[in-house]
Amino acid sequence: MRSCKLPSGAAMPILGLGTWRMGESARRRNDELDALKYGLDLGYPMIDTAEMYGDGEAEKIVGQAITGRSHRPYIVSKVYPHNATRSGTVAACERSLKRLGIERIDLYLLHWRGSARLAETFEAFHRLREQGKIADFGVSNFDHDDMQDAATLDNGLTGTNQVLYCLSRRGPEFDLLPALRERAIPLMAYSPLDQGGLLRKPAMAKLAEEAGCTPAQLALAWLLAQPGVVTIPKSASRERVKENLGALDVTLSPDLLARLDRAFPPPRGRQPLEML
């Protein structure tokens, strides 16, 4: 699978498995674990999670899914804003490492900007990186101005900004995505199918049929065709996990890209960053 380069020089896969809303129901736990294991068996090289998801239970499911594998996937996790003080970030990372059953998180993110001083969070990130407990750090749900603040604290090492970005929510394209590209920071797109809403758009069904793929594959392929963009679709279904991986085989012609732009127009001005 293709990868993109982080400012540190490390490589990050362009497609991974998301885990938002996992770990919230004991009834769904076996299906969620099975979907992650199946995805790894198929070759997904990355899993995204967070201490917030299922109040830590999603990280435990990820830990179960990766146990005993000869090759561990690239792991992304996140710290809650209310834990993101100097000492709180370090303690939260230690808890995540224990739940995941690993010694180092590949990419550790501030989930969104809260009341904790950003300088303290980045000081903790640098300390954790020096200690080898994380390989890289980054942010999530940061708008253009937030990224400018981060740039004064990160020593040029912010690894990604994970934001809501998909065909039906293209706001980041106006100013955030160009700014990230200028600094060679990948954008990690969450909810790439807009929580399934994109799949119900008539235009998606029509264009996907013409492209010889499913609407989900078309939506993901469009994201993966954007320079400097990676994505992390979540599914607890084997069928969907396999379907999403097929996006890597979809080729988008210039004509199809133009038609997608007409169906889902890019922003004409700056928009507030959307969050889910």
Side-chain angles (χ1 to χ4, degrees):
M1 186 180 291
R2 302 197 315 272
S3 63
C4 60
K5 185 174 288 188
L6 306 188
S8 68
M12 177 172 65
I14 62 168
L15 181 64
L17 296 161
T19 62
W20 184 40
R21 305 301 299 271
M22 286 191 179
E24 296 180 358
S25 166
R27 180 175 55 83
R28 296 194 301 266
R29 191 183 186 97
N30 286 339
D31 288 340
E32 292 165 349
L33 177 59
D34 179 70
L36 288 181
K37 287 183 173 181
Y38 182 64
L40 294 176
D41 290 342
L42 289 177
Y44 277 87
M46 175 169 66
I47 299 178
D48 172 85
T49 190
E51 67 170 344
M52 183 187 84
Y53 301 163
D55 197 22
E57 290 302 312
E59 287 182 323
K60 292 180 182 178
I61 294 172
V62 173
Q64 286 181 269
I66 65 178
T67 296
R69 293 186 176 268
S70 58
H71 180 71
R72 178 173 74 76
Y74 188 98
I75 299 294
V76 183
S77 194
K78 312 175 196 73
V79 57
Y80 255 131
H82 62 253
N83 286 336
T85 61
R86 185 182 296 107
S87 60
T89 301
V90 173
C93 182
E94 295 279 9
R95 292 192 296 270
S96 289
L97 287 168
K98 184 176 181 179
R99 287 189 290 264
L100 290 162
I102 58 179
E103 295 182 354
R104 184 183 70 175
I105 294 170
D106 297 291
L107 184 58
Y108 194 47
L109 313 181
L110 172 59
H111 210 147
W112 65 89
R113 192 169 184 176
S115 59
R117 292 179 60 243
L118 202 56
E120 289 196 24
T121 308
F122 276 92
E123 183 179 328
F125 281 163
H126 289 299
R127 183 189 304 175
L128 288 166
R129 190 168 184 266
E130 290 167 359
Q131 294 173 344
K133 294 178 181 178
I134 63 174
D136 282 288
F137 56 76
V139 295
S140 180
N141 297 301
F142 269 41
D143 64 18
H144 183 272
D145 293 344
D146 291 328
M147 290 304 298
Q148 289 184 315
D149 292 341
T152 68
L153 302 165
D154 67 358
N155 295 344
L157 290 173
T158 292
T160 195
N161 183 11
Q162 185 180 123
V163 299
L164 176 60
Y165 178 49
C166 59
L167 269 168
S168 50
R169 299 178 187 260
R170 297 180 63 172
E173 290 178 28
F174 186 77
D175 57 354
L176 179 59
L177 184 52
L180 292 175
R181 286 173 175 155
E182 187 174 336
R183 293 185 59 200
I185 299 174
L187 181 151
M188 185 179 291
Y190 73 77
S191 291
L193 307 181
D194 205 357
Q195 296 187 289
L198 253 178
L199 309 185
R200 296 187 289 273
K201 302 286 187 182
M204 287 299 292
K206 183 175 186 297
L207 292 172
E209 183 178 4
E210 294 178 13
C213 64
T214 68
Q217 289 169 341
L218 179 59
L220 295 173
W222 178 83
L223 279 171
L224 297 175
Q226 311 302 315
V229 174
V230 306
T231 191
I232 45 168
K234 175 256 179 177
S235 178
S237 156
R238 281 192 170 213
E239 180 182 356
R240 291 295 188 187
V241 167
K242 186 175 182 179
E243 176 187 348
N244 291 343
L245 190 62
L248 294 170
D249 300 322
V250 176
T251 300
L252 304 180
S253 67
D255 177 65
L256 182 55
L257 288 169
R259 294 172 69 187
L260 284 167
D261 279 345
R262 289 195 293 271
F264 303 95
R268 295 184 177 181
R270 190 176 188 182
Q271 302 177 3
L273 185 67
E274 296 183 271
M275 292 175 57
L276 291 177

